[in-house]
Amino acid sequence: MMWGERPVCKLRRVQLARAATQQWGLWRHSGTVLMGAYLAAFALIGLYSLWQSYRFPLPVIPPELFAGLAAAWWLSAGLIRRPALGLGVQDALLLRTPAPPWAVLTVPLAGMLSWSVLPGLGLGALLAAWFPPLWPLALALPLLAAGRPLFQTLFHDAGLIPDRGARNLGLLLSFLPLLAAWHLAVLPFVCLLAVVGWWLLWQKLWRDTVHAAPVLHNRVEGWRQGARRLGLPVPEVGADGSPPPVGWLERRMKPPERPGAVRALWWRGLLHLARQPWRILAAVGVGLAVGASSPVLLALTLGPLLAALAPPLPPHFPVGASTARLLRTLPAGVLLGLGLSIGCGVAVALGFTPAVSLLAAPLVPWAALCCLRFLGTAAPGGQVTDSGLRFGAALAPALGVFVCALFGVSWLAPLVLLLLGGAALAVA
């Protein structure tokens, strides 16, 4: 039976046709198509103006650099313990039919890869327009973008089955970009060879057998991706759905010995941050950007750390509303502020940042968390999962510090941050 005659192929064609018709109708009636065309034309005009005004000769870059970066980009996918492919309920049901497993999984895999290929195509087109001598890298960018999640899927599934041959061969293919150190023109061809090899190895894994462990991991990842698309809190579970392992810092977080609502809230906020202790270490690196001349840089680096905001309190908790709002932001604000102070102190010692920045560094995370709590009151369940809201919350104190430095009154930055955080807490 040919591929086009398979029942699963006919079902997928009907599903895609219905989904495309429904989505096109939503876009057409909501004016998204017209607005998208307007924004696309505006972006093309802006890019053309930049292309005419800001083209400069590119310095000679050794091909070894591009080859090493491409290989490192692919190899980093092998360090991720979670699968890249997420399966829905319908995909899991189709795996119980006599259809070949690889034929069922091809559609969600292709959908996942398309979201990686499209940015790669856009960046490749811009790179080819600005720097024509780098055309091999422009051709390889879509393959590099698509190869990483494909290699992650193969490496994860082969490790669970287990199939050491497929895993080792897939790992060997990830080193192929190093051949581009001989000449940059080789890069798109070796990338294409690696992507085709990974695809054949993955198809061989799922040719005849449905493996239970990878399916379970992919289903759990599908739930997480669905929650992320809907803006809901992402479940904190392991790759197989089990509770996440207890970290070294969380094991040392003992409950308060004496009872009390304030002590319980303080411990709850510290426990939420202790489950991801890397945020405290990352705050040290963010401290290097406190005295930078760009508030956007500080907001971009601080925004991901604001997920340390403690979850909202359960209803009817025996504590005042103002105290609850303060204790929701204070534990993470204190620890992240300590990390930012250490990083800012290192920057001051190296001469990168003026010493007056040390006054504002401890209060920047707390003020950003207060702004995030205020912005997140409309989010489902009070949990803020939108990265745009985190960036906006981090940008507010960053602008306050920048404006104070611009007018030469950096000593007023702590007062501005206290007023900003207090105002954000006072608003219900």
Side-chain angles (χ1 to χ4, degrees):
M1 182 182 296
M2 299 296 293
W3 162 249
E5 299 176 357
R6 296 180 184 273
V8 65
C9 179
K10 296 180 180 179
L11 176 62
R12 292 296 192 184
R13 282 204 304 265
V14 172
Q15 289 176 343
L16 291 176
R18 290 179 177 176
T21 303
Q22 183 181 9
Q23 191 65 42
W24 174 255
L26 291 175
W27 286 348
R28 184 167 56 87
H29 292 297
S30 62
T32 306
V33 177
L34 184 61
M35 181 59 67
Y38 169 76
L39 293 177
F42 183 77
L44 288 176
I45 293 173
L47 288 174
Y48 182 72
S49 302
L50 290 175
W51 179 74
Q52 286 184 324
S53 306
Y54 295 98
R55 281 187 295 172
F56 53 89
L58 187 68
V60 178
I61 302 177
E64 294 87 353
L65 177 62
F66 295 117
L69 290 176
W73 168 252
W74 276 352
L75 286 171
S76 63
L79 303 176
I80 303 176
R81 297 182 179 181
R82 292 189 179 275
L85 178 63
L87 297 182
V89 177
Q90 195 172 53
D91 300 321
L93 291 176
L94 287 176
L95 287 175
R96 301 182 180 182
T97 63
W102 69 269
V104 174
L105 298 176
T106 296
V107 172
L109 182 65
M112 177 192 67
L113 296 181
S114 63
W115 290 108
S116 302
V117 171
L118 292 178
L121 287 174
L123 291 177
L126 291 177
L127 185 63
W130 252 269
F131 307 110
L134 293 181
W135 63 267
L137 181 60
L139 288 178
L141 277 179
L143 297 172
L144 289 171
R148 190 174 189 272
L150 182 59
F151 170 59
Q152 181 182 347
T153 301
L154 171 67
F155 197 75
H156 182 268
D157 292 351
L160 291 176
I161 289 176
D163 190 337
R164 290 187 177 180
R167 199 178 195 193
N168 294 335
L169 185 54
L171 185 62
L172 182 63
L173 289 175
S174 64
F175 286 96
L176 283 181
L178 295 178
L179 297 176
W182 175 65
H183 197 282
L184 188 60
V186 181
L187 185 61
F189 299 101
V190 295
C191 289
L192 179 61
L193 180 61
V195 170
V196 172
W198 286 331
W199 163 257
L200 294 177
L201 288 174
W202 177 85
Q203 185 181 8
K204 182 181 177 182
L205 285 179
W206 295 94
R207 179 171 299 171
D208 301 317
T209 308
V210 177
H211 306 283
V215 170
L216 176 60
H217 285 221
N218 293 333
R219 287 287 292 118
V220 173
E221 187 62 24
W223 296 332
R224 289 170 54 84
Q225 294 175 3
R228 194 177 295 114
R229 282 194 301 268
L230 295 174
L232 299 175
V234 180
E236 296 182 0
V237 295
D240 57 350
S242 60
V246 180
W248 61 272
L249 186 58
E250 188 178 355
R251 285 196 298 267
R252 288 162 175 78
M253 292 292 299
K254 303 299 182 182
E257 297 180 357
R258 291 183 295 175
V262 175
R263 293 189 184 91
L265 289 180
W266 181 268
W267 175 76
R268 185 172 181 262
L270 292 179
L271 182 63
H272 182 71
L273 182 59
R275 289 173 179 171
Q276 294 177 326
W278 63 268
R279 300 187 191 278
I280 304 176
L281 300 177
V284 178
V286 176
L288 300 175
V290 172
S293 59
S294 173
V296 178
L297 176 62
L298 177 58
L300 287 174
T301 53
L302 181 61
L305 302 184
L306 299 185
L309 179 65
L313 295 180
H316 309 297
F317 200 81
V319 71
S322 58
T323 305
R325 289 195 295 265
L326 179 63
L327 289 177
R328 187 182 174 191
T329 59
L330 199 57
V334 170
L335 291 183
L336 293 181
L338 179 62
L340 256 72
S341 300
I342 295 174
C344 188
V346 173
V348 170
L350 296 177
F352 297 152
T353 304
V356 72
S357 301
L358 283 171
L359 298 175
L363 295 174
V364 169
W366 175 76
L369 289 169
C370 293
C371 295
L372 183 64
R373 192 214 65 84
F374 167 69
L375 294 175
T377 52
Q383 282 277 34
V384 181
T385 58
D386 189 1
S387 58
L389 290 181
R390 295 176 188 170
F391 173 76
L395 187 60
L399 285 175
V401 174
F402 175 73
V403 170
C404 290
L406 185 64
F407 287 98
V409 289
S410 297
W411 54 273
L412 279 179
L415 179 60
V416 171
L417 294 177
L418 286 174
L419 292 176
L420 177 64
L425 285 181
V427 179

